[in-house]
Amino acid sequence: MNQTLIQEILEVVEQAAIASAKLTGLGQKDEADAAAVEAMRLRMGKIEMKGKIVIGEGERDEAPMLYIGEEVGSGSGPGVDFAVDPCEGTNLCANNQRGSMAVLAASDTGGLFNAPDFYMNKLAAPPAAKGKVDIRNSATENLRILSDCLGLSIDELTVVVMDRTRHKDLIKEIRGCGAKVQPISDGDVQAAIACGFAGTGTHCLMGIGAAPEGVISAAAMRALGGHFQGQLVYDPAIAQTSEWADYTKEGNIKRLNEMGITDIDKIY
Ligand code: VTB
């Protein structure tokens, strides 16, 4: 991707951030999201590219703009795939709390995993622990590895976990090892990215959040040289979300298969 294109894509997220920033703290999450979406799409339209949204605001019938499959840009020029989250953490934005961001990942055509709107178990860690920690390990084992890689004792480590009932046992295990847990209400993209920088005080992200956000976090961590792994979650008993009140494990597996995902336990 050439520098001019990258610069223009940066302006896309800048415009989205500026638009939604005007609505921070007003308790208007949908309006903040809509403002960011509109700004993002407007700026994208001015870029000479054959752009396509692969992760976006939803399916065509439920999202007027930046829907999955939407073509963006001038229609000629390089092919670019986008995963967008114009206002990631809309609740945070509406409540003027930290961690909300305008964010997108871009790649040459075909470079991004078209993650379904499922949940994803995630593990993010700093560059020093890349390829050393593993999502297949227990939290206890990963904390031990992290401690070795970072040269910190376990009680100096801070792990961000989304504050959800599904993480009750995970939080207990992490605290049982002596590490600090920072529960967050929303915004696990910010938490994953924080692992990629020294000095943020975040050493690890563990637990289950949304899959599309996982792809964006993975792209950021690749750029930062950090560790990121994700595994789709399809069992409602594990996700423990009201969103899936009417879903069954078998039904979800069928949905994944219909989307062309047959290796449902793949670790990305
Ligand atoms: C997750 C997380 C996001 O919303 O999507 C969360 O990845 C929703 O999870 O960062 P629940 O369905 O368990 O509430 C965010 O926090 C914000 O979009």
Side-chain angles (χ1 to χ4, degrees), residues 88-89 119 122 162 164 166 186-188 209-210 213 241 243:
E88 147 71 355
Y119 286 84
K122 309 176 188 182
M162 286 194 69
R164 297 291 187 277
R166 59 178 172 259
D186 280 296
D188 67 356
E213 281 86 342
T241 167
E243 309 268 328

